[in-house]
Amino acid sequence: MFRQQLVRLSVVGLLAVFLTACVTEVINPRASNVNTEKALQARLKAAYLYLDANKNAAARGHLERAEEIAPKSPLVLNAWAHLFDLEGEPERAEEYFKKALRSDNNHAPSYNNYGAFLYKKERYEEALDKLQIAADNPRYAGRANAYENMGLCALRMQNVLIAEGAFKKAIKIDRALSRATLELAYIHFGKKQYEQAAKLYASRKDLAQPNARSLMLGIQLARIADDKNAEASYGLMLKNVFPYSQEYQAYKALNK
C-alpha cells in the first residue's frame, strides 16, 4: 500500500557486487582474492538472514567477521548501516552509509540504500539525489529498482513528471516490477488516459497478488468502463480482504 514503507534496502544488490575494497596482502593474490570474496559473501549472506529473522546479535557476529576480512568494503559498511537502522540508531546508520560512499563513491548499491534510508526519514530531495546516481549507473544490477525507488520518492514530492519518467525507465529495464507498473497506471488514470491505465493494470495483475491500492484502481477503471461485474468483484475482494484499509473507506464513500 502507498502509505506503507515503499523503498527497501537492496540486499540482493549488496550481495551481488564484487569486493572492491583492499584486503590483507597474501602470497597468491588471485587464489586468495577468490577465497576472500567467497568468505565475505558468506558472512554477509548469513548476517542478512539473521537480520531478516530479527536476530541482530547473531547478525552482528557475522558482520564483525566480515569487517575483519574487508574493513573498508562498502558492502560491509552498508550492512552495518542496515543493522544500526534496525536497532533504532539512525545517526549511526547514516554515518555508515556515508562511510560506504567515502570508501567507494561509485558504489551504486550504497547510493540506492542511502536513498532508501533518506526516504524513510522523509528527506525526499536528498533521497532523490542519491537514487538518481544509483539509477544512472548502467552497470548496476539493481538499476530498475533504483528507478522504481526514484518514482516513489518523486510521488512523495508531488513531482508527477519525474515519477512518470522513472517508472517508465524501471519497467523498460524490468517488466516484472509490479509496484512501478501500478503507480504508472495510477498516473495515467489521473491524466484521464484510461486506455493506457487499463493496459498497465491488466499487466500488473499477472505480476503480483492484489492489494488494497490495486483493487481500488480496478474499481475505478471498471466504473469508467461501465463494467459492473468487475466493479462488484473488486469491491467485494476489497471488503473481505482489506476491510480496514483507507481504500475500502474511500470505496464505501463512493457508494453512498
Side-chain angles (χ1 to χ4, degrees), residues 233-249:
S233 177
Y234 291 138
L236 183 61
M237 189 180 300
L238 185 60
K239 176 183 178 180
N240 291 339
V241 183
F242 305 101
Y244 304 109
S245 65
Q246 291 181 356
E247 287 80 4
Y248 180 58
Q249 303 309 312

Side-chain angles (χ1 to χ4, degrees), residues 95-117:
E95 174 189 348
Y96 272 76
F97 280 126
K98 290 179 177 178
K99 283 184 177 181
L101 291 175
R102 287 196 297 269
S103 175
D104 182 355
N105 62 6
N106 291 315
H107 192 242
S110 294
Y111 284 106
N112 190 43
N113 294 340
Y114 189 20
F117 171 84

